Amino acid sequence: MPIVEVSFTDLQRLARKNISSEELLKALELMKGEVEEVSGDSIVFEASHDRPDLFSAEGLGRALRYLLGVEEPPSAPPVSGDMTELRIVNPPRYRPYAYISIVKGVELDDEAIRQLFQLQEKLHATYCRDRALVSIGLYDLDKVKPPIIYTSVSDGRYVPLGYSEEMSLKEILEKTEKGVKYAHLVKEGEYPLLTDSEGQVLSFPPILNAEWNKVTPETKNIIIDVTGTEPHLMMRVLNVMTYAVLERGYGKALIMRAKVVGGAPDNPYPTTPHLEGKLFSVHVEDAESLLGLRVSAEDIPVLLKRMGYAVTSITSDGVRVWVPPYRVDVHGVVDIIEDLAISYGYNELPTETLPPTHFSGRSSIEHLTRIIRDIMVGLGFDEVVNFMLIDPDILKLVTDEPFVTVANPKMKTYSALRNCMLASILIAGKVNSEKMGEVEVFEVGDYVIPKQHDAESVRGMAFLLMGDKYTLTDGLVTAKSVALTLGLEYRFEPYEGKPYIRGRAAKVFLNDVEVGRVGEVHPEVLVELRLTKPVVAGEFNLTKILREIIERK
Amino acid sequence: MGLMEEERVLLPERQYRLVKALAGMGGRAEASRLAEAVGRKQSDIMRDLAELESKNLVKVLRVKTWHVCLSPDGRRYLKEGLPEERLLKIVGVRREFPSVKELAKACGLSRNEFAAAFGRLRKYGAVKVVSGKVIYSGDGVEKLLSDIRRTRELLGNISECIHVRELPEWVAELKRRGMVEVTESRVVEVEATETLRELLEAGRVSEAPLITRITSEVIVSGKWRGAILKEFDLSIEVPVKYPSRKHPYVEFLNHVREVVESMGFVEAKGPHVETALWNFDVLFVPQYHPARRESDVYFVAGETVGVAPSDVLERTREVHERVWKYRWDPREALKLVLRTHTTPVSMRTIYSRKEGEYRVYSLDRVFRPDTPDPTHLMEFHQLEGIIVGKHVTFKHLLGFFKEFAKRLGLGEVRFRPAYFPFTEPSVEGYIKHPKLGWIEVFPGGMFRPEVLYAVGLKGHNVAAWGIGIDRIAMMVLNMNDIRNLYTNDVGIIRSTPLPKEVMR
């Protein structure tokens, strides 16, 4: 979740009200924000991922105005009548879409610019998947000559933002920090480029803007562009950004739209930005059947306006609301009903405990697990717990069977899923070896066997006896005790294979089903694991005992 | 305890030696001397004496006595002579003194000594006072000298101190004259009873063996009958022995299972390796969502491609493309991941059971990329649950959290709005931690219509929750390090006491 820093003074200016810090903290809770730090004028909070409109002070200030009743949410976007053009000419095939939006009449200062760039950064980091899906740029409209053109070039030259010398696009990719970081998003020979009508380079998206047209405190009119691969996501991001910039007009700024000329035939938005928003009807019954709370038709409009919904009409059984375009989290009526509940107050909502109406129950494998644990503790073993994630080298020591490996591990120690319990119990033996003369431990847990299309989770039990006094006989005694306690017939057959000593290991059959193995662990394995005491160990497949013996009986 | 004619009296070793010593001392002795005789201090044998008395073998008497000791004056008189003795000598030589005063001056006695000594000389008639002059007469001198000799003899007999049962007149006289100091004290005396005398005479008292460990031989042979079974001293610390233990965390998890089952839930299981489809896509998490990045999900290495029911795939594609409006990629959905939560178990359950009124939970491991430290693990437990029904609402979810917290002894629950991609409304329940204040422990919500559509559930609501149970376990088990929940160290396991939350 994005961490956002805002200035209290700036927020008051945007909210157009002197709010107390208590009011702000309470409001943030309703907006799913979590305050991390308050120091002096600065407030740091964790914004909710689904509310990108609250990733900066602009959106937060707007939400406060509605919540505190400074003004009512408008039911249409503030657009100006005139329009410009966005020309898409031979765009890069791998990033074919571009949209722009113009906001006229803003008043900026350092804090405002800081907030808008914070929003841009947070959007890039989250919704834009680090610019891979969407890239955002802001420019001073008065420095450029519209219409704007989105195209692709094999190379070009301009002074990139933050530099004083002209560079070629290739140089930008090699020499600038952003160029190196995002070079993988562009293809050689087909570099995306935004220019104005006179061919001046606005930006080399998604890499770097130009220096000459950057936004400064003197900027009055702003162009926002989004380029990328997902047009709808791009439009959502553009709307959030546009509405944030709009806030910097403090009620006086207007949005100017552009006609999209050329470009992909599947472009869903001929006009940009697309400010239609959404209309929904919210009925008393809908809210009641989801919340278990009947809110009266008179209260619904009041509660929803506080949350920023424009109420367009009121009927006897509900309301019709307009959802502004920046509320990209609202997909359906349930999202509005949640805001209704939030507005009502979560801790004011009724609660009800449903009495048990059905037979409850434990899964049969957990039931068997409980029985096995009782037997093992009764035999004097201590129960241990290990992770399912394990070092693959330990698995290879213990078994030749395949196992699941993690493609993106953080540590090699936890980069595979165990495919048996034996490896884990040997780790437990090692941990306790020094502190205890003799170790008798067991573990019941899940392991995973890779299959053709998936991987099967299996419940197993492994035990370990470590110390000079133990031989295979002690392992067989344990196996036999388990079998007899479960009321099953047992049989041993010689077993040859990892990690046991040949001639000192056995397969265990219960009711003629092979369910496990017991053996003396080979000294070579012990030495590899840096264990110095003899180990007798065994393992049972509990899933198999359940399915093939108990449930078959 | 009455003694039968034929009975023998068996005594523990020390008591036997005490009665023998008592007999040797003539049947009556001070306890201190008896103690000396058995090589102990008097305080050590008092309990034995009490037992012997209770057996009617001895009488323990507390007797009043006097200590008579020479006073500093008495000691001096014995060395230098009594005052009257010294005065007599001086008067005997000078024969006559012009005044009593002159005599007092010349004799070198203190005022009091002089007054007493002069009084005695006059009483016996050894001196007379005639018109102020002191005149030696010689009468009664013999008598006085014999009195002096007797007094000196008495003082000499005392030497330093004597101990007497009764106070004789002469002691009183010496005390009056300040030559001795008398203090009262009590001594313990032991006297053999008639019974003991008879028993000893008949040779019917003997020493009994002391048994500290009862063996089967002791029982079978009947040796215990003639033996003293040693009493244990309960003040001595005994060693610790820990039982073989079930793992405290597994015990806690099973306790949680019981609590949830008591609220009408049935347990379900699901695979640890999941397709992204069940883990994310059916849950309405768009494929570009940050929760699906490599930093947040463990992907399975290799070429394996998962499989999934075609109806789920189709409905999922449809709902993603309709609502999120992007190109949904089935290959992305069929990637294998280590499940990041147990919600796929709920999804699979709803998909297979469809419509109906039911409550299902699961409690198993989930995985998220992380490096272990006291508050983070790459593998942990999640308690997942769903309440499915036609009239299930958000208030039932809130009610569940309150009741669950109550049954686990977690106290009051507060609610805050929250965001999860697959529930709407969503909520986070907070409980009060004794040290950390309000902490979030109960995330949940009502499954979105898009989610229920993907798994094919119609006309029903589903309240769902997915609780990170480890945090609650740490609270209940009083642990500060999450890694100790998953410990394989028997030392830690054995020394973790059962928490009261699990015992009630």
Side-chain angles (χ1 to χ4, degrees), chain A residues 291 345-353, chain B residues 393-404 413 415 427-428 463:
Chain A
L291 300 175
Y346 267 21
N347 290 295
E348 315 306 320
L349 290 175
T351 68
E352 186 182 322
T353 310
Chain B
T393 65
F394 196 52
K395 76 173 169 190
H396 300 120
L397 178 71
L398 303 184
F400 169 83
F401 285 146
K402 282 188 168 180
E403 181 67 20
F404 181 67
V413 185
F415 300 113
V427 61
E428 187 85 65

Side-chain angles (χ1 to χ4, degrees), chain B residues 400-437:
Chain B
F400 169 83
F401 285 146
K402 282 188 168 180
E403 181 67 20
F404 181 67
K406 197 169 110 193
R407 293 193 186 199
L408 270 185
L410 301 176
E412 193 197 342
V413 185
R414 300 278 300 159
F415 300 113
R416 284 184 65 162
Y419 164 66
F420 309 107
F422 38 93
T423 52
E424 198 78 18
S426 303
V427 61
E428 187 85 65
Y430 287 70
I431 56 166
K432 202 157 196 182
H433 187 281
K435 286 185 205 129
L436 305 174

